[in-house]
Every structure is written in structure tokens, then in C-alpha cells.
Amino acid sequence: MDQIKHNFIEVNGLNLHVAEIGSESSPAVIFLHGFPEIWYTWRHQMIAVANAGFRAIVPDYRGYGLSDIPEEPEKTSFFDFVKDTASILDYLNISKVFVIGKDFGSMVGYTFALFNPQKVAAIVSLGVAFRPPGSRAHQALPEGYYINRWKEPGRAEADFGRFDVKTVVKNIYIIFSRSEIPIANENQEIMDLVDPSTPLPSWFTEDDLAVYGDLYQKSGFQTPLQVPYRILNSKVEVSKQAPKDLKVEAPTLLIMGEKDFVFGLPGTAEYIRSGEVKKYVPNLETIYIAEGSHFVHEQFPDQVNQLILNFLNCHKH
């Protein structure tokens, strides 16, 4: 971890934090995190790809981790993250990149690939298959579903505000590590889904939690609640600007944990297992990890690293 360099890159009027490891002359891999993650979620993968002869580039999105918080977080769009990704790569003078995304970071990566197909060597996605803009896997879920709750301005703030930042991150890690879809009853909030005595998952240490806690202490949750949750209705902006043919042509590896709660969302397992997703991602290979949770890359780092490296080496020119 000591070899990881931390830089700040000024793009689109903000200083964005970018963690890096590996030689500048090596093939570049950009890692895009989900929520509640920050750059640190990729610690195992960064070191593995660097040791295998790649250059790992891992930004914190605007408003996350060590990156600047935008002046008006509530106006941040999903597309800002896509533009920031492109700007970081331009700044670093990288013309071709492997894209690795987790959770909604996969959607940032897929969208970047739709707009910049010539810049993407291949894509690895953890936990989220490409869906065309406007598809709604969670529409059928009840009011207490965590996304429905977090979309509501002020609701998560009041819920999270009862605890210190570290406890909020701990609770979200516990909730998202389960295979059940996080749904609160009418008279409870999402944080109430965790009994205070519940331990952290075995693969996530108190030291890991302390890093997350410090970083969210700095950034707060306003931008993370805005993107991905409160912009869900504005994904349409992508479809207005996107190429007519919504196909991700780059070779793509989808790694799904069988115990990932996302797999339980209405229609998701069928969409992936039936191969319907290949209408949009024709060069797709999917690998399932039997006990894998929503955080499969932190839970089984050696297995995931091996899958990633096999794939990158296959598509390295």
C-alpha cells in the first residue's frame, strides 16, 4: 500500500483525488467505485494489476473521498462522473484504457465506453450488467426499498444523522453484504436494519472501516446520495446524447456473486442468465462466484484478481 501514489488532478473546475500504482509506460486500467466505496475499495486489485505489469488509476468521484465537493452537490449529474473519467484520462494522456467498474461504477464505465469506444480496450464489471437507459429493475419494489428511501431528499440525511459517519458506513457494508434485498418496514429506517451488535463481515477489518470513516467524514454523504440515488430519473439525459446504437462493443467480463442482493432484483437474474444482456453487450462473458456478495472483490480478492488478470492479459495488445 505504501507504493500507491496519491495525486490531485484539476478537471472540470474541481481537484479530483486519483490513487495510482504501476509504471506510466504500462497498459492503463481505470477502476470506478460504487457506493459506499471510495478509491480504497480497490486496494487488493490495484496491487495485483500493478504486480502483473499494468498501471492502476483509481479516482474518487467528485464529492467522494478526497476529491473536491462540487459547489452545488444537489445538481451533480451521473454524466458529470462520465465526463470526469474522460477528463482524467485526457489529463494523463491515456488514449486506450481497460475499464473496471463495481456497482454503479460499472454504469459510469459502460457509458464512458458508449461515447468513447475507441478508447476502451475491454471492460470488467462487478455486480451490475449493462442496461439501456430507462430500464427500471427496482420499480416493482416496495416503498421501503433502500433506493426508494434514499431518493427522497432529507430522508437518508435524517436517518444517517442519528449515528457517527463510521457507523453509517459499517451499517451499509453489513446490509449490502447480505443476500436479502434491503427493505425497511413502514415504521423503520434503513439504518434500523442492522442490530448494533452485528459484527463487520470477516473480510472487512476495523482498519478498513477507519479509512472509510475518515474519508466520509471529509466528504459527507450529500454527493453520494445525489449520484447514484437521486439522479435515477435523469439517466434519460444519457439516452438523449448517447449513440443511436446502444451497444457496448468492447470485450466485457461480468463477475456476479451468487449471493449478491442485486441478483435478487426483479428480472435481473433472468436478464443475465438468459443472455438477453448480450443484445447490448455482444462480446460478454459472465462468471459467477458461488458465495460472492455485493463486495465480491473485497470478499474474495485472490479469486477476483485472477479472473481480472486472465481477462486483461487476453485483451492486451
Side-chain angles (χ1 to χ4, degrees):
M1 292 289 283
D2 296 344
Q3 297 158 309
I4 294 173
K5 298 189 303 242
H6 295 272
N7 301 313
F8 286 87
I9 294 177
E10 191 178 334
V11 296
N12 305 321
L14 295 168
N15 275 318
L16 300 186
H17 168 247
V18 180
E20 267 197 74
I21 183 170
S23 160
E24 288 189 11
S25 59
S26 298
V29 185
I30 192 164
F31 290 86
L32 302 167
H33 63 78
F35 176 78
E37 294 120 346
I38 24 86
W39 76 268
Y40 182 80
T41 192
W42 295 113
R43 59 200 176 281
H44 307 298
Q45 286 69 42
M46 293 175 76
I47 290 164
V49 302
N51 287 344
F54 294 87
R55 176 187 182 185
I57 299 159
V58 191
D60 284 332
Y61 301 125
R62 56 172 66 199
Y64 279 76
L66 295 170
S67 290
D68 281 356
I69 298 170
E71 265 183 42
E72 298 179 281
E74 69 285 356
K75 292 194 175 160
T76 306
S77 75
F78 171 78
F79 216 66
D80 287 333
F81 287 16
V82 180
K83 284 188 288 206
D84 288 346
T85 302
S87 300
I88 288 166
L89 293 170
D90 286 347
Y91 181 95
L92 296 172
N93 213 12
I94 290 166
S95 56
K96 196 94 173 173
V97 69
F98 289 99
V99 177
I100 300 186
K102 146 81 173 45
D103 190 74
F104 85 92
S106 297
M107 290 310 298
V108 176
Y110 289 135
T111 308
F112 173 76
L114 283 174
F115 284 87
N116 306 277
Q118 74 291 352
K119 291 187 176 177
V120 176
I123 300 168
V124 181
S125 168
L126 289 92
V128 169
F130 177 82
R131 284 181 180 272
S135 67
R136 293 275 181 267
H138 36 249
Q139 260 185 343
L141 289 158
E143 177 274 334
Y145 175 49
Y146 80 97
I147 287 183
N148 293 336
R149 291 291 180 85
W150 291 354
K151 267 173 28 180
E152 195 183 309
R155 181 125 191 199
E157 287 86 340
D159 182 16
F160 294 1
R162 299 177 292 154
F163 306 93
D164 62 71
V165 167
K166 211 161 106 170
T167 305
V168 173
V169 175
K170 176 183 177 178
N171 287 352
I172 295 171
Y173 250 82
I174 290 168
I175 291 167
F176 283 6
S177 298
R178 297 169 176 165
S179 51
E180 304 81 33
I181 297 170
I183 297 173
N185 295 324
E186 207 176 324
N187 59 350
Q188 64 175 177
E189 296 300 325
I190 298 301
M191 289 291 111
D192 300 327
L193 294 174
V194 180
D195 182 291
S197 65
T198 308
L200 279 166
S202 60
W203 39 264
F204 193 75
T205 68
E206 286 292 339
D207 288 347
D208 296 332
L209 179 61
V211 175
Y212 274 76
D214 288 349
L215 290 168
Y216 274 101
Q217 188 72 47
K218 180 203 166 288
S219 69
F221 292 102
Q222 196 175 1
T223 314
L225 285 167
Q226 170 66 15
V227 183
Y229 302 105
R230 293 179 185 160
I231 49 83
L232 279 171
N233 302 331
S234 69
K235 279 264 187 75
V236 183
E237 74 175 296
V238 176
S239 61
K240 280 186 197 142
Q241 300 176 51
K244 289 284 175 281
D245 184 18
L246 269 180
K247 272 206 175 108
V248 176
E249 297 287 0
T252 302
L253 173 65
L254 174 62
I255 301 172
M256 289 297 305
E258 297 265 17
K259 301 280 172 75
D260 188 336
F261 74 87
V262 170
F263 227 14
L265 296 178
T268 298
E270 187 187 352
Y271 173 71
I272 295 169
R273 289 193 197 276
S274 71
E276 188 189 340
V277 58
K278 287 194 171 187
K279 283 200 300 207
Y280 307 103
V281 190
N283 300 310
L284 176 71
E285 176 190 0
T286 304
I287 293 178
Y288 304 96
I289 295 183
E291 294 301 313
S293 72
H294 191 58
F295 302 103
V296 68
H297 63 300
E298 291 182 278
Q299 181 187 11
F300 296 119
D302 295 344
Q303 193 178 347
V304 169
N305 292 350
Q306 201 49 61
L307 293 172
I308 288 173
L309 288 172
N310 292 347
F311 183 74
L312 296 185
N313 284 319
C314 271
H315 298 286
K316 192 169 67 171
H317 299 303

